[in-house]
Amino acid sequence: MQLTPRAVAYLATEEGIALESYLDSADPPNWTWAMGLTASAKIAVQDQVHRPAPLVDCIRASTARLNAVYMPAINRAFAGHPLNDGQLAAALSFHWSTDASEHADWANA
């Protein structure tokens, strides 16, 4: 299954898109950029501190992360179960928030 623009758009409404890096509310705080990307994702988020990036750069970086890390997990969790855009967006949102799509019972229902 492939990431769709509609799924990315839905996640953007859930996560928001930060054009400029900010310190999040974690303890300790993390520099965060675009759709919740942090330095732990091996993204140079501090390059965007006080330097807003174009929206398209934020979406590209977030989409690349979704394709590299999140879609493989979703494809494993839902192997043999095709998902429509809404289902894919929900599964990605769940995995983005919990990192647990491969351990959730509903993936096998």
Side-chain angles (χ1 to χ4, degrees):
M1 153 174 27
Q2 303 246 339
L3 182 61
T4 65
R6 291 177 88 183
V8 173
Y10 173 77
L11 283 171
T13 67
E14 289 291 310
E15 287 296 319
I17 300 176
L19 303 181
E20 185 176 330
S21 294
Y22 64 94
L23 284 171
D24 66 14
S25 60
D27 187 19
N30 297 304
W31 283 104
T32 305
W33 173 69
M35 289 170 50
L37 303 178
T38 65
S40 65
K42 306 219 182 340
I43 305 220
V45 296
Q46 287 187 285
D47 290 352
Q48 271 33 80
V49 174
H50 306 298
R51 248 183 62 205
L55 179 60
V56 68
D57 291 353
C58 297
I59 293 171
R60 281 187 184 137
S62 299
T63 300
R65 181 74 176 161
L66 286 165
N67 274 317
V69 176
Y70 294 88
M71 282 305 296
I74 295 301
N75 282 325
R76 287 189 299 271
F78 291 93
H81 301 282
L83 303 177
N84 64 33
D85 280 341
Q87 292 166 327
L88 175 60
L92 281 167
S93 180
F94 177 80
H95 190 67
W96 187 289
S97 297
T98 66
D99 205 28
S101 65
E102 294 179 274
H103 308 291
D105 291 339
W106 54 267
N108 297 315

